[in-house]
Amino acid sequence: MKISTKTRYGMRVMLDLAERYDEGYTPLKDVADRQGLSKKYLEQVVAPLTAAGLLAVTRGHQGGYQLARPPAQITLADVIAASEDGLDLMTCTSDLLACERADACPSRLVWGGLQDAVNAYLESKTLADMAAS
């Protein structure tokens, strides 16, 4: 499993906004400057986060981005799910039809257990947890 650059940057954007949650909307240019990233690339990064309902956006002079919910209500799993097509370690852990041996495969249980542990960890951590560290 590899986390894409888009997801890593998305996490940075979300954490940046979590740390400033009480300050209202933040221009993407400010986030880009603080994170040392291209504003143009961040526009692509925030699109799926906005579509997933994790970010609120407003246009105009006072415009920018803000978390759509408090940081304690957004898990790392939420951010990754919005940015990735999935974090399946193996196709057989989520799709039994992907492998003709899935029903009787002992290693599938190992991969499935590891997948469950990764998912549980990501679901147990929030943006508030990360901002507090």
Side-chain angles (χ1 to χ4, degrees):
M1 164 181 27
K2 244 185 175 178
I3 304 291
S4 70
T5 302
K6 193 173 191 179
T7 298
R8 289 194 325 266
Y9 289 176
M11 194 69 74
R12 286 170 61 178
V13 168
M14 296 296 284
L15 182 56
D16 188 285
L17 295 174
E19 291 170 342
R20 291 159 185 77
Y21 181 70
D22 294 329
E23 298 174 16
Y25 288 90
T26 302
L28 197 57
K29 181 188 180 324
D30 293 355
V31 176
D33 290 345
R34 282 191 297 269
Q35 295 299 318
L37 300 169
S38 156
K39 178 183 175 272
K40 190 159 185 75
Y41 186 63
L42 286 190
E43 289 170 352
Q44 297 172 34
V45 168
V46 298
L49 298 169
T50 304
L54 298 177
L55 289 177
V57 62
T58 184
R59 306 282 179 213
H61 178 65
Q62 299 286 347
Y65 290 83
Q66 181 179 19
L67 298 181
R69 301 189 307 258
Q73 294 179 12
I74 300 175
T75 67
L76 303 188
D78 294 331
V79 177
I80 291 172
S83 301
E84 295 283 337
D85 288 336
L87 278 182
D88 294 333
L89 297 171
M90 309 281 290
T91 358
C92 65
T93 60
S94 62
D95 181 7
L96 287 176
L97 301 176
C99 176
E100 62 190 41
R101 301 186 62 215
D103 290 352
C105 178
S107 62
R108 182 177 170 274
L109 296 175
V110 173
W111 302 131
L114 181 57
Q115 183 71 56
D116 291 345
V118 168
N119 290 340
Y121 178 78
L122 294 172
E123 289 170 4
S124 74
K125 301 295 180 191
T126 67
L127 292 176
D129 296 331
M130 287 186 65
S133 6

